[in-house]
Amino acid sequence: MYEVNSSKYNILCVDDNENNLFTLKALLKTIKNVQSIEVPSAKDALDVLLKKKINLILLDIQMPDMNGFELAKILKSNKKTKDIPIIFITAVFKNDEFVKEGFEIGAVDYLTKPIDDNALLNKLSLYIKIFEQKDMAIQNQKRFYDIAQSIGDGIYTLDKEYKTTFINETALSILGFSERELLGKVIHNYIHYKDINNNTVSAQDCKVHKVIHSAKERRYEEDVFIKKDGSFVHVSLHVTPLFEGKEVVGSVTVFHDKSKEHKIISLESEKLKNQEQIIYSMVDMIERRDSYTAGHTRRVAHYCELIATNMNYAKDDIEKLKKAAWLHDLGKISTPDTVLLKPGKLSELEYTLIQEHLTSGYEMLSKVDQYKEIAEIMREHHEKFDGSGYPRGLSGNEILPLSRIMIVADAFDAMTTNRVYKSKKSVKEALQELQDLSSKHFHSEVVYAAMEALKDVVIDDAISQEPLTKMEQARFSYFYVDSLTHLFKVKYIHLILKNRVTAKNFYTYKIQLHNFSTYNKEFSWEAGNKILECFATELQEMIPGAILFRIEGDDFLAISEEKLELKIEDIKSSTCTNLTTIDVTCEKDYIENSAEAIDGYLNI
């Protein structure tokens, strides 16, 4: 049947094909902190979901009795399972209607069969990272709320051995002890050991200790503490367990001296610090996803500050705007890489998914009271003066004043940095475009200020959306790199050459393997794939300075700004192709570095 194990993240694989389940199980074993659960039917999947917490579902569509779409609809309609991400894995996703239906039901992504191992592992690794970052943010937010909701006069914390790890000055003043007398001691023996009737209270019956035992917070409106002089002080208290992961590691007690009715001013500063921690944890989530987005948010915040300063906004408004700019693309954490990183034109459905990042980011921030205004500002950074923007189609003065500044700053950065789909403009060209679109896309008073505030901005020529880290390279490889040979796909030759070749002309070497179909028929497609993979590796070793592409099934292209000493005899001597049934040819040329010349050369 199916196996259930305890692991940090559980992935449920649902497929009526036993071989597919075996393949998925083997792949998921390679990912740290992941346990796979394999079931052959929708009914078995529902049984597992009743018993086990599932973090992500890999779901086949075409199954007997109940198909994947029907199961997904059930899960999305159930409060317990509606938030579990679903990735459809099926051959029928080649049909656009199936893609549309899957996303409408609530899928977060899809893969087609046969499964590309690297693509699946890359996607799952990204989702696991998102889960980890989400867990971290939830923990930070929980601590913040615990403190924010427990403001009182005195505060002290205990470790799991009930010893005092922190006690504030107000608590010491109320109780009459010095810090040295209580820090590192079991505080029960000093302030909880008797009740109001002078009856002894054991450590086991201590109200504070019970919170650590039960891992549940407790409130007491009427209680007493014992002061150093032996007298009682009437208090109300709120005790909250402290966690590291799922383990209780201590408690925090906030108590209010009911005889004095004093509030702790020092906790207000603690509250502010926790607010900042939430902001920085959210920014960290953005920056960890990819370095370009991190740089983009910082630059937009800087441009917002320059424009707002020129427009004489108050310091508080400028800080508010900068925070909104740091977080303005937060919602993209829920956008699938297949859409977010796509180098070509987006479909109507994909464009709709991109637009959802505003709503996602807004919903995350607006749930925290002190960030509601920031959420409103960032939600409008894709609106336009003429009402043609999104998500709400606001126009003119319907758009918040601070949002108008972010709209211009965001557009300016998009214009002046290299993207995978277009080259950057100069500062002068970008400012001219802002001016051309004034009173169309942008508010004229903001454009007027930007013309002065941004004219001396220096743009780093190295800024690009090219992947920098190993994780980014793996994510981009889903589009650019051929999964068999690990060479570039010729489909994206223009984008790749744009960022890698600066010369006006370059040398091309078209390498073709002939009679390959005969080899495949005689020895199998699998054997042929091994030769192609081996041959691609040898080409990389033979001409390490060249940019290599796989053109078609058994054709390759090498491009270099320098003339290569590439001899046909060397190519033919390859240990991979030195077979009687395969012949190798190499056509050399020198062409202009232009889209038209490249397309003509490749007969596109």
Side-chain angles (χ1 to χ4, degrees):
M1 196 60 180
Y2 51 80
E3 301 173 4
V4 177
N5 206 325
S6 61
S7 198
K8 189 169 184 182
Y9 300 109
N10 295 312
I11 297 180
L12 178 61
C13 306
V14 189
D15 198 310
D16 60 324
N17 186 302
E18 187 174 342
N19 291 333
N20 290 343
L21 290 178
F22 180 83
T23 300
L24 289 172
K25 182 175 182 179
L27 285 173
L28 294 180
K29 275 187 176 180
T30 65
I31 305 179
K32 186 178 179 181
N33 287 337
V34 165
Q35 172 67 37
S36 66
I37 303 169
E38 301 80 28
V39 296
S41 71
K43 181 180 179 300
D44 291 329
L46 290 172
D47 289 342
V48 171
L49 287 160
L50 287 173
K51 304 172 185 176
K52 187 77 176 174
K53 179 183 176 182
I54 299 298
N55 300 96
L56 187 143
I57 301 173
L58 300 178
L59 179 58
D60 186 26
I61 290 181
Q62 292 183 315
M63 296 186 295
D65 299 327
M66 184 190 299
N67 65 37
F69 286 156
E70 292 169 336
L71 174 59
K73 288 177 182 177
I74 291 174
L75 299 181
K76 292 301 176 182
S77 65
N78 185 283
K79 185 177 180 180
K80 180 181 177 182
T81 58
K82 67 183 181 68
D83 294 324
I84 301 175
I86 297 174
I87 299 177
F88 283 121
I89 301 182
T90 181
V92 297
F93 256 120
K94 293 179 285 186
N95 186 307
D96 287 343
E97 288 299 314
F98 280 97
V99 175
K100 182 179 179 182
E101 184 174 357
F103 279 123
E104 286 177 348
I105 291 171
V108 298
D109 216 331
Y110 66 89
L111 285 171
T112 56
K113 296 178 182 178
I115 297 171
D116 182 324
D117 294 356
N118 288 331
L120 176 60
L121 290 175
N122 288 340
K123 285 179 182 292
L124 293 180
S125 295
L126 175 60
Y127 281 109
I128 296 304
K129 185 173 285 293
I130 291 172
F131 293 156
E132 291 172 343
Q133 292 169 351
K134 183 179 178 182
D135 288 347
M136 186 186 305
I138 290 172
Q139 289 296 328
N140 287 339
Q141 193 174 38
K142 187 180 187 315
R143 291 190 183 100
F144 166 75
Y145 281 127
D146 286 343
I147 293 172
Q149 294 170 5
S150 306
I151 294 177
D153 291 329
I155 182 169
Y156 66 86
T157 59
L158 304 183
D159 61 21
K160 60 184 178 181
E161 295 177 355
Y162 318 119
K163 293 181 179 179
T164 310
T165 55
F166 169 79
I167 184 165
N168 68 356
E169 290 296 330
T170 304
L172 294 170
S173 176
I174 293 171
L175 297 171
F177 288 92
S178 68
E179 184 180 63
R180 180 178 57 82
E181 290 174 307
L182 295 179
L183 208 59
K185 309 290 179 58
V186 178
I187 201 170
H188 169 81
N189 298 331
Y190 294 84
I191 67 173
H192 301 306
Y193 62 92
K194 286 183 181 180
D195 63 19
I196 189 64
N197 297 314
N198 268 326
N199 295 318
T200 300
V201 177
S202 68
Q204 185 176 356
D205 293 327
C206 177
K207 294 175 180 177
V208 175
H209 292 188
K210 283 182 177 180
V211 169
I212 298 176
H213 294 154
S214 65
K216 294 180 180 178
E217 68 175 306
R218 294 176 184 265
R219 290 179 183 270
Y220 302 95
E221 290 303 320
E222 294 292 338
D223 204 351
V224 291
F225 285 176
I226 305 164
K227 299 172 69 171
K228 183 178 179 179
D229 62 10
S231 64
F232 291 101
V233 56
H234 289 265
V235 297
S236 62
L237 64 153
H238 180 197
V239 190
T240 305
L242 294 176
F243 293 87
E244 280 186 5
K246 294 183 178 180
E247 181 185 0
V248 178
V249 295
S251 66
V252 56
T253 300
V254 178
F255 64 92
H256 173 65
D257 182 356
K258 300 189 77 172
S259 64
K260 295 181 179 179
E261 295 295 329
H262 289 158
K263 297 290 183 181
I264 301 177
I265 298 174
S266 61
L267 277 183
E268 286 297 329
S269 63
E270 190 70 24
K271 175 182 174 182
L272 292 175
K273 289 178 183 178
N274 278 276
Q275 290 175 347
E276 290 300 313
Q277 285 180 353
I278 289 178
I279 290 177
Y280 291 131
S281 68
M282 289 181 176
V283 171
D284 185 60
M285 289 168 67
I286 298 171
E287 294 187 352
R288 285 177 183 273
R289 193 168 188 204
D290 69 82
S291 54
Y292 176 81
T293 298
H296 170 66
T297 56
R298 287 193 292 269
R299 290 191 301 274
V300 172
H302 177 57
Y303 300 150
C304 283
E305 183 178 19
L306 293 176
I307 297 171
T309 300
N310 184 275
M311 297 177 74
N312 296 317
Y313 272 87
K315 184 178 179 180
D316 287 347
D317 285 334
I318 294 174
E319 287 303 310
K320 194 184 304 175
L321 176 58
K322 286 168 64 179
K323 287 181 180 179
W326 292 336
L327 298 168
H328 79 279
D329 277 339
L330 177 64
K332 286 184 178 178
I333 201 166
S334 63
T335 306
D337 276 357
T338 50
V339 176
L340 186 63
L341 303 181
K342 184 177 180 180
K345 184 178 180 181
L346 297 178
S347 67
E348 184 177 344
L349 175 61
E350 290 168 336
Y351 186 62
T352 300
L353 287 172
I354 277 286
Q355 292 178 334
E356 284 297 315
H357 82 276
L358 289 170
T359 303
S360 297
Y362 172 77
E363 289 176 350
M364 288 184 217
L365 287 178
S366 62
K367 291 177 181 177
V368 184
D369 287 342
Q370 49 267 48
Y371 298 136
K372 285 184 176 179
E373 191 173 359
I374 289 174
E376 294 292 345
I377 297 168
M378 60 84 70
R379 177 164 63 159
E380 297 180 5
H381 77 270
H382 279 297
E383 301 288 0
K384 295 179 180 178
F385 181 83
D386 61 7
S388 62
Y390 63 89
R392 294 184 291 169
L394 303 179
S395 63
N397 291 336
E398 292 177 332
I399 302 171
L400 293 171
L402 293 180
S403 299
R404 302 171 198 174
I405 296 173
M406 194 191 299
I407 292 168
V408 171
D410 188 52
F412 178 78
D413 187 64
M415 294 174 190
T416 54
T417 53
N418 287 315
R419 300 291 183 101
V420 292
Y421 49 83
K422 71 173 184 67
S423 298
K424 69 173 186 176
K425 299 177 184 293
S426 67
V427 171
K428 184 178 180 181
E429 291 169 334
L431 291 176
Q432 182 59 54
E433 184 168 341
L434 291 178
Q435 203 166 33
D436 293 341
L437 294 173
S438 178
S439 298
K440 295 176 184 176
H441 290 181
F442 312 116
H443 288 70
S444 58
E445 71 276 12
V446 180
V447 172
Y448 180 82
M451 297 297 290
E452 177 65 26
L454 303 180
K455 66 180 182 179
D456 296 323
V457 166
V458 178
I459 306 297
D460 185 355
D461 291 334
I463 297 173
S464 170
Q465 210 171 2
E466 284 278 289
L468 300 177
T469 66
K470 289 184 178 180
M471 174 60 75
E472 290 172 16
Q473 290 168 357
R475 290 164 62 211
F476 272 79
S477 69
Y478 174 80
F479 295 102
Y480 296 116
V481 178
D482 175 60
S483 60
L484 176 64
T485 63
H486 306 296
L487 303 182
F488 289 121
K489 297 177 184 177
V490 78
K491 176 180 179 180
Y492 298 109
I493 189 170
H494 297 304
L495 289 173
I496 293 165
L497 294 184
K498 180 186 72 174
N499 294 315
R500 294 171 181 263
V501 177
T502 57
K504 293 182 178 179
N505 296 279
F506 53 74
Y507 294 92
T508 64
Y509 302 83
K510 188 185 292 184
I511 303 160
Q512 297 175 293
L513 305 183
H514 301 280
N515 303 322
F516 209 83
S517 58
T518 303
Y519 182 89
N520 284 336
K521 289 178 181 178
E522 183 176 353
F523 296 102
S524 81
W525 283 97
E526 185 177 356
N529 283 344
K530 288 182 179 179
I531 285 193
L532 290 174
E533 187 176 5
C534 173
F535 185 65
T537 300
E538 289 201 357
L539 274 182
Q540 289 175 303
E541 294 172 353
M542 197 179 303
I543 43 177
I547 304 171
L548 294 170
F549 297 84
R550 184 182 181 186
I551 302 178
E552 293 176 350
D554 45 15
D555 294 342
F556 301 86
L557 176 65
I559 290 178
S560 174
E561 294 183 4
E562 304 293 333
K563 188 173 182 179
L564 301 175
E565 294 298 326
L566 186 61
K567 299 178 181 179
I568 190 63
E569 294 80 12
D570 295 334
I571 302 174
K572 286 184 175 182
S573 66
S574 164
T575 58
C576 305
T577 58
N578 190 16
L579 302 167
T580 57
T581 54
I582 298 177
D583 189 24
V584 184
T585 61
C586 179
E587 298 178 10
K588 304 177 183 179
D589 211 333
Y590 187 66
I591 68 172
E592 178 186 343
N593 185 5
S594 68
E596 295 78 10
I598 294 169
D599 289 347
Y601 175 75
L602 295 172
N603 295 318
I604 296 177

